[in-house]
Amino acid sequence: MEKNSAWKKRAAEIGNVFAVAEDYKAFISRCKTERECVAWAVAEAKAAGFRDLAEVTEKGEALKAGDKVYAAHHGKTIMLYVIGTDDIEKGMNLIGAHIDSPRLDLKPNPLYEDTDLAMIETHYYGGIKKYQWVALPLALHGVICTKDGRTVTLALGEDPKDPVFGVSDLLIHLAQKQMEKSASLVVEGEDLNAMVGSIPLADEEKEAVKKAILAKLKEEYGVEEADLVSAELTFLPAGPARDYGFDRSMVMAYGQDDKVCAYPALRAILHMDTPKRTCVTVLSDKEEVGSIGATGMQSRFFENTVTDVLRALGKDTAAAAGALSRSRMLSADVTVAFDPNYPEVMEKKNCGYAGMGLGFNKYVGARGKSGSNDARAEYVALIRRILDEADVSYAVNELGRVDLGGGGTISHFTAEYGMDVIDCGVPVFNMHAPWEITSKVDIYETLKGYEAFFAYGE
Ligand code: MN
Ligand code: MN
């Protein structure tokens, strides 16, 4: 298939491409965890005139075409609805991205002292190459919840004046045996311990450094060691998104899988005109660990919001199943960008390329397409029509060479409702590494593509 550079096509509107990228960089520099994404989305939604669906339901208010509502759950997942002029039973247009990313979570009992150093135990989240997460500056994000009902929110290490943390690496001088190990064993999970302090508390004999750190936590955040059990704290790469390359054509940032798709999915719905079909943006949690839990895509929460919307529209809630099966969805998740350093994992005619626009995966999965949602041909044809009419650059591909590995998204979970779903998103270099890279023009094409999908009402 012929590949056309989206940069050439957008030459006349390059200012817009870079302006969208600036807005995206501000978003992804601030929203590094699912909680931060949801808080940001709620604030933006309210400012754009969205009402809380829980309040609408509680007050027994009615919804009509043009109304905008959001539903957030446990602060980690959110759905935004814009009610269309068509009967919702004809189906909705959905775009679903995930807002969790690989990172190093703190264990429930994290803090200890070893040789006058305060250390923190971590347990990695999602699929990572462990050796990539050592010897780099990490920030501490998350919440600590106390028994008296307080929630302390942290994002320490982002301000240049903040301290940073990190997991140490072995000096090359003594690494002879380490260098002989296979890559999966060079740094093992239990070795991902972060160093967090070294000054002992005065007049303390035992664990004086650990006690000094606890005193600091008490003084600055009002929390005790026991409160760390009821915390969700995580170490992730410190610092903002940066321009990448002499020509600043790319973005380097943490967590672009999948916030580079969450951003256009949000932006496309926040300021849209009243659509024909009801439009929904879904930002889900826990995709990197199988979409499980109360805030993952397998939770009934999404379905329950559909029921609440139907009720507020004066519909029988039994209509939810039909409305869902007649819906269509873009499962908005990143795909791989062809990397000249690793050509052997790609099949050049069927892989994603940076700078070519929105990348579709008709299916993902592994081996014989195992575990994948394989979008039907009729639906792919409809998507082609929508994007061609809107003059959006895109390509339909697969993840990599057959039998080399594979991946999953949220598409096979929403496909269970019987709706049409296809995976599509921005091609990424360094996926799941601490710093991932995307092309600014692909973010732009993805935004244009998502807008066109929402606007399509036939
Ligand atoms: Mn993803
Ligand atoms: Mn991923």
Side-chain angles (χ1 to χ4, degrees), residues 339-358:
D339 185 338
N341 279 339
Y342 300 97
E344 66 279 7
V345 302
M346 303 292 203
E347 189 268 278
K348 278 191 165 178
K349 300 179 291 304
N350 284 285
C351 70
Y353 292 86
M356 303 293 172
L358 183 47

Side-chain angles (χ1 to χ4, degrees), residues 98 257 287-288 431-432:
H98 68 90
D257 175 7
E287 191 277 341
E288 296 295 356
M431 199 188 294
H432 284 208

Side-chain angles (χ1 to χ4, degrees), residues 114-133:
D114 193 337
T115 59
D116 290 348
L117 294 168
M119 305 288 291
I120 279 184
E121 293 267 5
T122 71
H123 193 142
Y124 64 97
Y125 173 92
I128 61 166
K129 292 178 172 177
K130 282 156 240 169
Y131 66 78
Q132 291 179 333
W133 291 73

Side-chain angles (χ1 to χ4, degrees), residues 143-156:
V143 296
I144 306 170
C145 298
T146 62
K147 281 197 291 183
D148 58 10
R150 272 186 315 126
T151 296
V152 179
T153 304
L154 268 87
L156 188 60

Side-chain angles (χ1 to χ4, degrees), residues 209-441:
V209 180
K210 175 182 166 181
K211 281 174 186 156
I213 298 299
L214 285 170
K216 201 152 193 63
L217 291 178
K218 177 82 181 169
E219 179 194 320
E220 288 190 21
Y221 306 107
V223 298
E224 315 273 349
E225 183 174 18
D227 295 326
L228 297 177
V229 170
S230 48
E232 283 177 5
L233 292 170
T234 190
F235 286 119
L236 47 78
R242 307 283 298 266
D243 286 341
Y244 196 75
F246 282 120
D247 57 4
R248 299 176 179 270
S249 57
M250 293 169 271
V251 174
M252 178 176 245
Y254 162 72
Q256 299 204 70
D257 175 7
D258 182 33
K259 294 170 201 85
V260 74
C261 295
Y263 168 81
L266 256 177
R267 225 185 116 147
I269 201 158
L270 281 175
H271 304 288
M272 73 184 306
D273 297 329
T274 301
K276 198 150 177 255
R277 282 161 72 97
T278 293
C279 291
V280 190
T281 285
V282 177
L283 301 183
S284 74
D285 180 30
K286 296 282 185 288
E287 191 277 341
E288 296 295 356
V289 291
S291 296
I292 39 70
T295 52
M297 202 64 228
Q298 295 195 67
S299 157
R300 297 275 178 277
F301 176 66
F302 164 62
E303 203 176 309
N304 293 345
T305 66
V306 174
T307 307
D308 287 344
V309 167
L310 281 168
R311 194 180 293 120
L313 286 167
K315 295 252 166 208
D316 187 337
T317 54
L324 282 163
S325 75
R326 285 183 286 276
S327 292
R328 46 179 96 107
M329 182 175 197
L330 297 182
S331 164
D333 208 342
V334 293
T335 186
V336 60
F338 179 88
D339 185 338
N341 279 339
Y342 300 97
E344 66 279 7
V345 302
M346 303 292 203
E347 189 268 278
K348 278 191 165 178
K349 300 179 291 304
N350 284 285
C351 70
Y353 292 86
M356 303 293 172
L358 183 47
F360 281 83
N361 287 146
K362 188 174 181 295
Y363 44 83
V364 284
R367 300 177 302 279
K369 303 189 182 180
S370 180
S372 75
N373 160 66
D374 196 341
R376 69 186 170 120
E378 293 88 340
Y379 185 49
V380 182
L382 173 68
I383 296 293
R384 287 175 57 210
R385 189 162 106 214
I386 294 170
L387 297 181
D388 284 340
E389 277 174 12
D391 197 25
V392 172
S393 298
Y394 65 96
V396 182
N397 302 303
E398 58 176 311
L399 195 64
R401 285 185 81 88
V402 179
D403 279 343
L404 269 193
T409 64
I410 61 170
S411 56
H412 54 297
F413 300 118
T414 49
E416 284 179 19
Y417 293 112
M419 67 174 75
D420 275 314
V421 192
I422 188 165
D423 288 304
C424 67
V426 176
V428 172
F429 297 105
N430 293 3
M431 199 188 294
H432 284 208
W435 296 100
E436 300 172 316
I437 300 154
T438 54
S439 167
K440 289 181 179 178
V441 81

